[in-house]
Amino acid sequence: MKKILFSIALISLSFMGCNHRHNHSDESEHAGHNHSDEEDSHAGHSHDDQIKLLAYDDNFEVWVEAEPLSAGNPSKVILYLTSLQNFKPVKPLSITAGLVIADKEIKQIQENSENAGVYSFELQPEVSGEGYLFFEIKTQDKKSLIKTPSVTVYEDLHTAQHAVEEVTYPDAITFTKEQSWKMDFGTALPVLRKFGQVIKTLAQVESSQTDERIISARFGGVVSMDGNNLSEGQKVNGGQNLFALAGTGLA
């Protein structure tokens, strides 16, 4: 009997030890979680904003997503290349991406890419200032040079990141190029044209008030239709028999 009680006591101590270690682990995790939150709050928010640029020529549409540009720091530049003939992704023989700032030019070439339409580059500006990105596209039968709108290369990365944050639209709905390639989608420049003579719309057709006449009966009686299946708003001609009146006092 003493042995049985002793075994039960050992089991109880074992459970207590497990509970103690488990609670200690929870406290450690909780403390670690609070510490992480404090670090995140102290470090501030992350910088995930990108520069977005759009440019065209007669053959291609170029959509660019680039990390903020700063002197001496590499920035990832992603190019989405779309054909204006069918608005589908293009797989050229080679693409050269470049950045021009003042008299400084840097560029990188990519050939025989496996992913049609999506091309990734890494450009590291040497100096700060105003400039532009350009893309040289070589296909089987043509060469194209497309320049984007102007871009700013900042003196340091921190300034570049905050400058990009100021022009972002957090409530905007994202519609990626990959999504547009999977459906019948296209873009075009606005063109001044005349409206056609026929405009499709919904309407209720009513008879003109100038074509309506009100006929009042001076005596009571019975109205007999003349077999013309008259309906409201139907057009009639002068002298046409519409109905007959029969009753007391009528000639």
Side-chain angles (χ1 to χ4, degrees):
M1 187 67 179
K2 291 182 180 179
K3 292 182 179 179
I4 295 175
L5 290 175
F6 182 69
S7 300
I8 293 175
L10 288 177
I11 293 174
S12 300
L13 288 173
S14 177
F15 278 121
M16 290 176 62
C18 290
N19 290 334
H20 176 72
R21 286 195 298 271
H22 179 70
N23 293 337
H24 178 71
S25 176
D26 289 344
E27 290 175 359
S28 299
E29 291 178 359
H30 183 68
H33 180 71
N34 291 338
H35 180 67
S36 178
D37 289 344
E38 291 176 359
E39 287 181 350
D40 292 342
S41 176
H42 178 72
H45 53 276
S46 61
H47 299 279
D48 298 325
D49 298 303
Q50 295 178 321
I51 302 170
K52 295 179 174 60
L53 303 169
L54 179 64
Y56 294 90
D57 71 351
D58 295 335
N59 303 302
F60 304 108
E61 176 197 81
V62 169
W63 174 257
V64 181
E65 296 179 354
E67 294 177 342
L69 299 169
S70 59
N73 297 302
S75 295
K76 186 176 181 180
V77 178
I78 300 178
L79 166 66
Y80 297 87
L81 185 62
T82 303
S83 170
L84 293 182
Q85 301 299 321
N86 55 12
F87 292 95
K88 298 302 179 183
V90 180
K91 188 176 182 180
L93 297 178
S94 66
I95 297 181
T96 301
L99 172 65
V100 177
I101 303 292
D103 297 331
K104 301 290 185 179
E105 176 182 303
I106 56 172
K107 58 183 181 180
Q108 183 181 10
I109 187 171
Q110 188 175 132
E111 298 177 337
N112 302 321
S113 175
E114 296 181 358
N115 298 325
V118 184
Y119 307 93
S120 180
F121 304 89
E122 187 175 88
L123 301 177
Q124 182 171 327
E126 297 178 1
V127 295
S128 60
E130 295 292 327
Y132 61 88
L133 291 167
F134 69 87
F135 298 93
E136 297 176 354
I137 304 164
K138 182 180 179 181
T139 62
Q140 292 283 0
D141 54 350
K142 64 175 69 73
K143 293 182 180 180
S144 297
L145 176 62
I146 304 178
K147 297 180 181 180
T148 67
S150 63
V151 295
T152 302
V153 177
Y154 295 89
E155 294 182 356
D156 58 86
L157 181 59
H158 185 74
T159 304
Q161 290 172 338
H162 280 280
V164 174
E165 288 177 354
E166 294 177 358
V167 295
T168 56
Y169 303 94
D171 297 329
I173 299 174
T174 302
F175 186 68
T176 66
K177 279 299 172 184
E178 288 92 341
Q179 290 173 326
S180 69
W181 290 337
K182 295 178 181 178
M183 63 179 64
D184 293 332
F185 178 85
T187 58
L189 295 174
V191 179
L192 182 63
R193 293 180 179 174
K194 294 182 179 180
F195 280 104
Q197 296 181 354
V198 178
I199 301 176
K200 295 181 180 181
T201 184
L202 298 176
Q204 181 179 358
V205 180
E206 297 180 350
S207 59
S208 174
Q209 294 181 356
T210 58
D211 294 336
E212 294 180 356
R213 295 292 185 271
I214 298 176
I215 302 176
S216 301
R218 298 181 181 180
F219 305 95
V222 178
V223 178
S224 300
M225 296 299 177
D226 200 24
N228 293 322
N229 296 322
L230 292 177
S231 60
E232 183 179 357
Q234 178 179 335
K235 185 177 180 180
V236 295
N237 300 320
Q240 177 182 348
N241 293 327
L242 303 179
F243 49 82
L245 295 176
T248 304
L250 292 178

